[in-house]
Amino acid sequence: MGKILCYIYEDMADFEISVLLHRLRNMGGKEICSISETLDPVTAQSGLIYMPERTISDITSLDMVEALIIPGGPINNQQNTVCPLARAIVDEGKLLAAICFAPQFAGRAGILAQYHYTTSCSEEKIRQLGCEDPFDRGNYVEKRVVVDRNLITAQGYAFVDFAVEVCRYLNILKKKEQEYEWFGRIKEIG
């Protein structure tokens, strides 16, 4: 069983991954390792302060890594340190899971040119920000969650759906009943 890397950075939307990380660790028995550019504290949008366990440059082998999870956060085209790691994760067939604006890192890593994805960051938002668009809009899909091979992306408001899909991918959900039990979904009739 490998580690789940979680990229943490300034102004990340920590609420978008809290359900997922809880389920991975407490229900799936996965080891979560927070990574960032430095070991300095990171302040999330919630105001909580997170301490990275390792730097991105410390990750020299992906042998014991199952996935990289990236929460949403502000568009920052200069924030590229995690992009080579995201590319390596995808190239080795491991899971890259990014929510809300986080697919920006996959975009800058050249991944979105080969995968379908979704994001909460519209072209209009990019125009408002006056920055370079990191997204390959030709592969954009207007859905809550998009699973394309080993890339899972989600709209920011779909954080529970995102958690379900990542848990499915990592074989934590063994039965449909677990999905209802763990994520509070209403059981379908029929």
Side-chain angles (χ1 to χ4, degrees):
M1 176 175 62
K3 290 182 183 180
I4 307 295
L5 302 178
C6 182
Y7 175 51
I8 61 174
Y9 57 101
E10 282 298 312
D11 292 324
M12 68 174 182
D14 48 339
F15 76 93
E16 294 172 345
I17 58 167
S18 60
V19 170
L20 171 58
L21 295 176
H22 171 74
R23 293 304 181 200
L24 289 174
R25 183 175 179 271
N26 294 310
M27 304 299 191
K30 300 292 184 181
E31 182 182 348
I32 311 293
C33 178
S34 59
I35 61 171
S36 194
E37 284 80 6
T38 69
L39 294 177
D40 295 337
V42 170
T43 304
Q45 289 179 10
S46 67
L48 288 175
I49 297 172
Y50 293 83
M51 293 297 297
E53 294 172 61
R54 297 179 71 189
T55 65
I56 294 166
S57 62
D58 288 339
I59 311 302
T60 57
S61 170
L62 296 178
D63 290 344
M64 297 302 294
V65 174
E66 280 187 80
L68 171 60
I69 296 168
I70 307 178
I75 295 292
N76 179 349
N77 286 316
Q78 282 68 56
Q79 189 175 18
N80 295 314
T81 307
V82 76
C83 295
L85 177 60
R87 180 85 242 180
I89 289 280
V90 167
D91 288 348
E92 289 202 19
K94 298 175 188 270
L95 176 63
L96 175 60
I99 186 168
C100 197
F101 284 21
Q104 68 178 302
F105 301 105
R108 287 195 296 277
I111 297 165
L112 299 183
Q114 298 128 8
Y115 285 79
H116 291 98
Y117 73 96
T118 194
T119 179
S120 296
C121 189
S122 66
E123 290 179 88
E124 176 59 29
K125 182 65 175 176
I126 292 294
R127 281 192 291 278
Q128 289 172 1
L129 293 171
C131 64
E132 182 181 334
D133 193 345
F135 303 100
D136 183 314
R137 297 294 174 171
N139 288 332
Y140 173 80
V141 179
E142 182 65 38
K143 286 178 69 176
R144 294 173 62 85
V145 179
V146 173
V147 179
D148 185 354
R149 295 163 282 165
N150 57 327
L151 176 67
I152 299 175
T153 54
Q155 300 278 328
Y157 61 81
F159 56 91
V160 173
D161 306 59
F162 180 65
V164 168
E165 292 301 334
V166 171
C167 287
R168 276 185 188 147
Y169 185 93
L170 295 173
N171 295 314
I172 292 170
L173 292 172
K174 303 287 185 212
K175 301 176 190 171
K176 188 74 171 170
E177 292 78 29
Q178 284 180 316
E179 183 177 319
Y180 299 115
E181 189 178 314
W182 292 4
F183 294 100
R185 293 186 163 219
I186 298 170
K187 202 168 194 173
E188 295 173 17
I189 300 173

